[in-house]
């Protein structure tokens, strides 16, 4: 059958083994094939023998690191991706689920920056439902919460009640010296579930800052700061509270001794604000500061504002309330019928996420997580927040069928994430309009945050930016680095169920990161 002109023109020229082919025609054919090969392969990243050897050496080294017999009983998952070429440089159990610990904060902060925006701010209002006559306000004061985690000393040079002092000054400018009413905290932007699912804390762990309650109205990270100093020999250690408040009752069972190591510990009676201090405090130890959680953050906030107003010379005839315990909520007037006395606006979200990721601050992460639900569905419940986060992750290509989200901070042992999912998030964020805010929120190896003392003196120092994670028998590290060739890398390293010291797991992760920073195809 005769071929059409078009079909004939697409047929290859005859090669030299074809009868009747001249050497000139063969040479012309070979040149054309060479050009085709260059275009087909030379510009599409087919690695040279040297590049193949470099990658082979990298994979061999990483396999050797994770094959250490000390980790034979542990579960390890890793994915390393070259964000320039898109090549997976190394993968091991990358599609298996692991407990991520604080790597969950990568999900929370990436979603929040992308959905809420890096310039998002919280607004908390002080409102009144009465009127001022002469120097007296006849009516109640309402603190209307927005889920803001930042009303504390963190952004006010350590003055934890600076915002409340400012509100007192505003009342004075209005010539208010007496308030014939109560101070009521309104936390209804969130539900009343104060912890994440699967927070399997030991019997007294809920007193420590990392387990602070979630609330629509919060103050000082929902903690009281306790500073200890030695007392007289054999006597209890002395202590001060910040803020100085009657909301907390301290039972001091500590003792000042000649010991060189402190055995002081703390616990809070369940569903109360009775905090016990016990153990031996060395007389040679100058001071020790700890942040301890309180029960009912909303009432705590209202109480400290009440006390701050009194200290400023404003007399209140009522008392502080949590709105859920104030008479009948149905009797609370609508806020559009009240007047605003003062307000507080938080720093932008770009600054707030730095606290979340660099310090690995659980309370901030949980507040931001619930805020996602509040902004999308009107109330900050766990389920609403989860729906928003899952939707975002799905939109950037994460397989959400392989993820379990039970909180925003990673304190839950029920959370499950794959290394591949984390790398997918890191890759998407590098292309995001909020990339700079996300990237700058991550700790820098050997420089700051939770990586301040790791990878010092190596090429990873100042290079690796990553989020750490830790709960019992779980250690994670995920983030970014740059290779010796200048190529950007996203990586995720999970280690679960290990029984060696956590310092040994840190060393394993640091070795992997350092090897990647020294990787070159050349």
């Amino acid at each position: 059958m005769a071929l059409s002109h078009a079909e004939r023109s697409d047929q290859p020229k005859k090669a030299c083994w074809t009868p009747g082919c001249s050497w000139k025609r063969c040479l012309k054919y070979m040149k054309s094939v060479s050009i085709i090969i260059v275009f087909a392969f030379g510009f599409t990243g087919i690695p040279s023998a040297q590049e193949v050897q470099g990658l082979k050496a990298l994979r061999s080294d990483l396999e050797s690191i994770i094959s250490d017999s000390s980790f034979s009983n542990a579960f390890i998952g890793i994915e390393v991706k070259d964000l320039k070429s898109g090549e997976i440089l190394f993968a091991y159990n990358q599609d298996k689920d692991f407990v991520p610990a604080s790597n969950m904060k990568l999900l929370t902060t990436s979603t929040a920056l992308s959905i809420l925006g890096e310039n998002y701010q919280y607004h908390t209002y002080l409102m009144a439902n009465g009127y001022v006559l002469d120097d007296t306000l006849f009516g109640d004061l309402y603190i209307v919460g927005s889920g803001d985690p930042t009303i504390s000393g963190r952004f006010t040079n350590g003055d934890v009640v600076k915002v409340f002092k400012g509100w007192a000054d505003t009342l004075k400018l209005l010539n208010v010296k007496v308030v014939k009413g109560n101070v009521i905290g309104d936390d209804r932007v969130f539900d009343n579930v104060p912890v994440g699912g699967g927070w399997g804390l030991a019997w007294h762990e809920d007193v420590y800052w990392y387990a602070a309650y979630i609330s629509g109205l919060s103050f000082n990270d929902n903690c009281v700061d306790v500073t200890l100093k030695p007392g007289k020999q054999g006597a209890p250690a002395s202590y001060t509270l910040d803020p100085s408040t009657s909301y907390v009752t301290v039972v001091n069972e500590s003792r000042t001794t000649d010991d060189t190591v402190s055995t002081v510990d703390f616990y809070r009676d369940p569903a109360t604000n009775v905090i016990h201090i016990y153990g031996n405090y060395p007389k040679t130890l100058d001071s020790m500061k700890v942040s301890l959680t309180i029960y009912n953050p909303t009432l705590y906030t209202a109480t400290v504002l009440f006390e701050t107003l009194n200290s400023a010379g404003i007399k209140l005839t009522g008392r502080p309330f949590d709105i859920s315990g104030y008479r009948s909520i149905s009797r609370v007037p609508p806020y559009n019928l009240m007047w605003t006395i003062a307000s507080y606006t938080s720093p932008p979200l770009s600054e707030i996420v730095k606290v979340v990721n660099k310090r690995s601050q659980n309370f901030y992460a949980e507040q931001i997580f619930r805020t996602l639900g509040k902004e999308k569905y009107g109330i900050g419940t766990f389920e609403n927040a989860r729906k928003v986060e899952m939707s975002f992750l799905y939109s950037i290509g994460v397989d959400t069928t392989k993820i379990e989200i039970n909180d925003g901070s990673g304190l839950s042992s029920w959370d499950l994430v794959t290394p591949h999912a984390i790398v997918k998030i890191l890759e998407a964020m590098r292309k995001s309009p909020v990339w700079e805010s996300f990237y700058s929120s991550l700790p820098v190896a050997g420089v700051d945050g939770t990586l301040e003392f790791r990878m010092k003196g190596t090429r990873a120092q100042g290079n690796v930016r990553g989020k750490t994670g830790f709960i019992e028998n779980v250690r994670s590290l995920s983030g970014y680095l740059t290779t010796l060739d200048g190529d950007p890398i996203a990586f995720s390293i999970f280690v679960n169920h290990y029984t060696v010291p956590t310092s040994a797991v840190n060393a394993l992760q640091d070795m992997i990161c350092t090897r990647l920073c020294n990787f070159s195809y050349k």
Side-chain angles (χ1 to χ4, degrees):
M1 181 178 70
L3 296 175
S4 69
H5 174 75
E7 288 172 319
R8 284 198 302 270
S9 66
D10 289 337
Q11 300 305 303
K13 296 181 175 68
K14 292 182 179 180
C16 58
W17 57 81
T18 304
C21 176
S22 69
W23 69 271
K24 289 183 179 180
R25 186 176 179 182
C26 179
L27 180 61
K28 184 177 180 181
Y29 168 74
M30 291 176 67
K31 286 181 178 178
S32 69
V33 170
S34 298
I35 292 170
I36 291 170
I37 290 173
V38 168
F39 275 95
F41 298 104
F43 296 100
T44 57
I46 297 298
S48 66
Q50 185 180 18
E51 290 173 331
V52 169
Q53 194 61 34
L55 185 56
K56 184 177 179 181
L58 172 70
R59 289 172 175 169
S60 176
D61 288 347
L62 297 185
E63 287 169 1
S64 177
I65 291 171
I66 65 175
S67 296
D68 188 304
S69 60
S70 301
F71 299 95
S72 61
N73 63 324
F75 295 103
I76 298 176
I78 303 173
E79 181 165 299
V80 180
K81 186 171 186 177
D82 185 328
L83 297 180
K84 181 180 178 181
S85 68
E87 183 176 9
I88 300 297
L89 302 184
F90 187 76
Y92 183 81
N93 289 333
Q94 74 275 18
D95 291 316
K96 300 292 185 182
D97 268 323
F98 290 82
V99 178
S102 283
N103 267 209
M104 283 298 291
K105 294 181 175 74
L106 294 173
L107 282 67
T108 301
T109 54
S110 62
T111 304
L113 285 168
S114 301
I115 299 299
L116 302 176
E118 58 194 343
N119 296 316
Y120 178 87
Q121 292 176 291
Y122 293 90
H123 302 280
T124 304
Y125 296 96
L126 179 65
M127 306 188 78
N129 69 344
Y131 60 93
V132 176
L133 181 62
D134 297 327
D135 62 356
T136 301
L137 169 62
F138 293 88
D140 295 323
L141 296 175
Y142 288 82
I143 318 169
V144 186
S146 59
D148 188 353
T150 71
I151 303 176
S152 66
R154 182 169 280 112
F155 295 99
T156 56
N157 295 317
D159 187 349
V160 299
V161 294
K162 185 173 182 178
V163 172
F164 295 164
K165 288 176 181 176
W167 290 359
D169 290 341
T170 301
L171 282 167
K172 287 181 177 180
L173 288 174
L174 296 171
N175 196 37
V176 173
K177 297 178 181 178
V178 179
V179 176
K180 291 279 189 178
N182 305 297
V183 175
I184 301 154
D186 188 347
D187 57 6
R188 291 176 295 172
V189 292
F190 291 177
D191 64 9
N192 287 322
V193 180
V195 297
W199 282 16
L201 301 170
W203 70 272
H204 72 299
E205 268 192 300
D206 63 349
V207 75
Y208 290 105
W209 65 270
Y210 55 80
Y213 280 1
I214 305 159
S215 177
L217 179 62
S218 299
F219 165 70
N220 197 40
D221 299 358
N222 292 341
C223 290
V224 62
D225 301 324
V226 181
T227 300
L228 295 176
K229 291 186 176 182
K232 293 181 179 180
Q233 180 73 21
S238 66
Y239 71 89
T240 56
L241 303 180
D242 192 16
S244 179
T245 176
S246 62
Y247 192 71
V248 171
T249 299
V250 175
V251 179
N252 189 358
E253 300 160 338
S254 66
R255 193 164 63 98
T256 305
T257 68
D258 291 325
D259 294 355
T260 57
V261 178
S262 172
T263 61
V264 166
D265 209 343
F266 311 86
Y267 72 90
R268 178 168 49 78
D269 290 341
T272 76
N273 288 295
V274 177
I275 294 175
H276 296 256
I277 307 173
Y278 63 96
N280 294 338
Y281 191 91
K283 66 180 182 182
T284 56
L285 182 60
D286 183 34
S287 66
M288 178 174 71
K289 183 178 179 180
V290 293
S291 294
L292 305 176
T293 64
I294 52 80
Y295 179 75
N296 193 339
T298 303
L299 184 56
Y300 177 48
T301 306
T303 299
V304 176
L305 175 60
F306 187 98
E307 293 171 338
T308 303
L309 295 178
N310 267 324
S311 296
I314 299 172
K315 181 182 178 182
L316 295 100
T317 62
R319 61 191 183 92
F321 282 95
D322 174 346
I323 198 166
S324 62
Y326 178 63
R327 302 175 188 169
S328 169
I329 294 178
S330 62
R331 294 177 59 184
V332 176
Y335 288 121
N336 61 359
L337 299 180
M338 297 188 191
W339 54 287
T340 301
I341 296 171
S343 65
Y344 167 75
T345 300
S346 75
L349 188 60
S350 57
E351 292 300 312
I352 296 173
V353 295
K354 289 179 182 177
V355 179
V356 176
N357 286 333
K358 284 190 180 291
R359 290 177 51 85
S360 205
Q361 226 291 347
N362 291 346
F363 166 69
Y364 271 53
E366 296 299 343
Q367 295 292 116
I368 292 171
F369 180 66
R370 295 292 180 94
T371 300
L372 292 169
K374 178 199 79 171
E375 291 295 338
K376 176 68 175 179
Y377 297 105
I379 183 169
T381 67
F382 160 74
E383 194 52 47
N384 285 346
R386 181 182 179 278
K387 285 190 289 187
V388 175
E389 190 158 286
M390 281 292 203
S391 177
F392 168 72
L393 295 175
Y394 180 80
S395 75
I396 61 173
V398 173
D399 184 354
T400 53
T401 65
K402 293 184 177 180
I403 290 178
E404 283 290 340
I405 297 173
N406 286 282
D407 65 1
S409 65
L411 187 57
S412 174
S413 59
W414 296 351
D415 293 326
L416 292 173
V417 181
T418 67
H420 179 67
I422 293 291
V423 169
K424 196 79 174 176
I425 293 166
L426 295 172
E427 183 177 21
M429 291 308 292
R430 192 169 183 271
K431 303 171 185 176
S432 167
V434 294
W435 157 245
E436 288 297 335
S437 292
F438 181 73
Y439 184 67
S440 64
S441 76
L442 300 175
V444 183
V447 176
D448 66 13
T450 55
L451 287 177
E452 181 178 0
F453 302 106
R454 292 177 61 176
M455 300 178 238
K456 281 185 173 290
T458 71
R459 194 176 176 276
Q461 180 174 348
N463 182 346
V464 171
R465 283 184 181 253
K467 183 71 201 76
T468 57
F470 171 75
I471 57 176
E472 198 69 28
N473 306 116
V474 172
R475 196 67 164 133
S476 54
L477 176 62
S478 302
Y480 304 94
L481 57 85
T482 304
T483 68
L484 210 56
D485 295 334
D487 295 331
I489 301 295
F491 68 91
S492 182
I493 310 167
F494 288 155
V495 184
N496 283 190
H497 300 294
Y498 61 86
T499 52
V500 296
T502 298
S503 59
V505 185
N506 291 349
L508 176 139
Q509 293 174 338
D510 294 355
M511 288 173 65
I512 292 172
C513 288
T514 302
R515 178 63 181 90
L516 290 169
C517 289
N518 286 297
F519 170 65
S520 173
Y521 282 113
K522 299 171 184 176

